[in-house]
Amino acid sequence: MEVVIVPDGAELGKLVAAVIAGLVRRRPDATLGVATGSTPLPVYDVLGSMVAAGRLSMHGCRVFLLDEYIGLPAGHPQSYRAVVEREVVRRLDLPSSSVLGPDVSAPDLIAACADYERLIQRSGGIDLQLLGIGADGHIGFNEPCSSLGSRTRVKTLTPRTRADNARFFDDPADVPQHVITQGVATILEARHLVLLAVGAGKADAVANAVEGPLSSFVPASAIQLHPHATVVVDEAAAGGLQLADYFRSTYTAKPSWQSL
Ligand code: PGA
């Protein structure tokens, strides 16, 4: 695992956008797993500027949702499909048809989860998966005590996650209780994981995920199992890391030929 500590969210955006742009230039039909929430927005901003300036085309890419709320009316602005349309598809000039996610309106949600797993597999898997991290250590919507072997399935959000996400809704009671999320094991099959965190509110979760024991109590700790996981955090989110100085010096001394 590589941990990169950047000064702030803007630098995080530039660094991670450069990694994605590099991937897309090497592989124009790359499959990207996108995360919602506030943390990845600077990444989409920088990629959007590259696309607008004609320095990058993402037209051949496909975009996979990490998770989705169940029970929101179709087209609700906070459904993750709508968020990804707004924040990713429009800015990156992608065709809407390139966004793939679980069908949360299916009458049989269990079958919809299995269908989504098959869709990811048939597409050749995900090249790069962006991940946020919940203050409770979730990745995707794999809440604490999610099996580390879990696949895409229906989950119930914790009160803490619902409270954290209430800022996006007019009424906190409107935050759905249920979601479909890629499972921990599904996420681990992506070829490159890039976990992002900013702010002191994430410091404990980041420290537990990076330096704590592998535990379903902190689902993000599962990234320790991945052969190519990059954690990009700002100084505040790095505040709980015992090895912060080591991570800084490693990154400073990184050979120029070695990319993230
Ligand atoms: P955030 O959400 O980026 O809005 O902090 C991250 C998450 O809950 O996974």
Side-chain angles (χ1 to χ4, degrees), residues 35-40 66-67 80 131-136 138-141 161 164-165 167-168 196 198 202:
T36 48
S38 316
T39 315
L66 191 52
D67 43 21
Y80 284 170
L131 297 168
I133 180 169
D136 62 2
H138 69 221
I139 45 172
F141 271 138
T161 298
D164 285 347
N165 289 3
R167 67 189 193 281
F168 297 114
L196 315 174
V198 296
K202 299 291 174 69

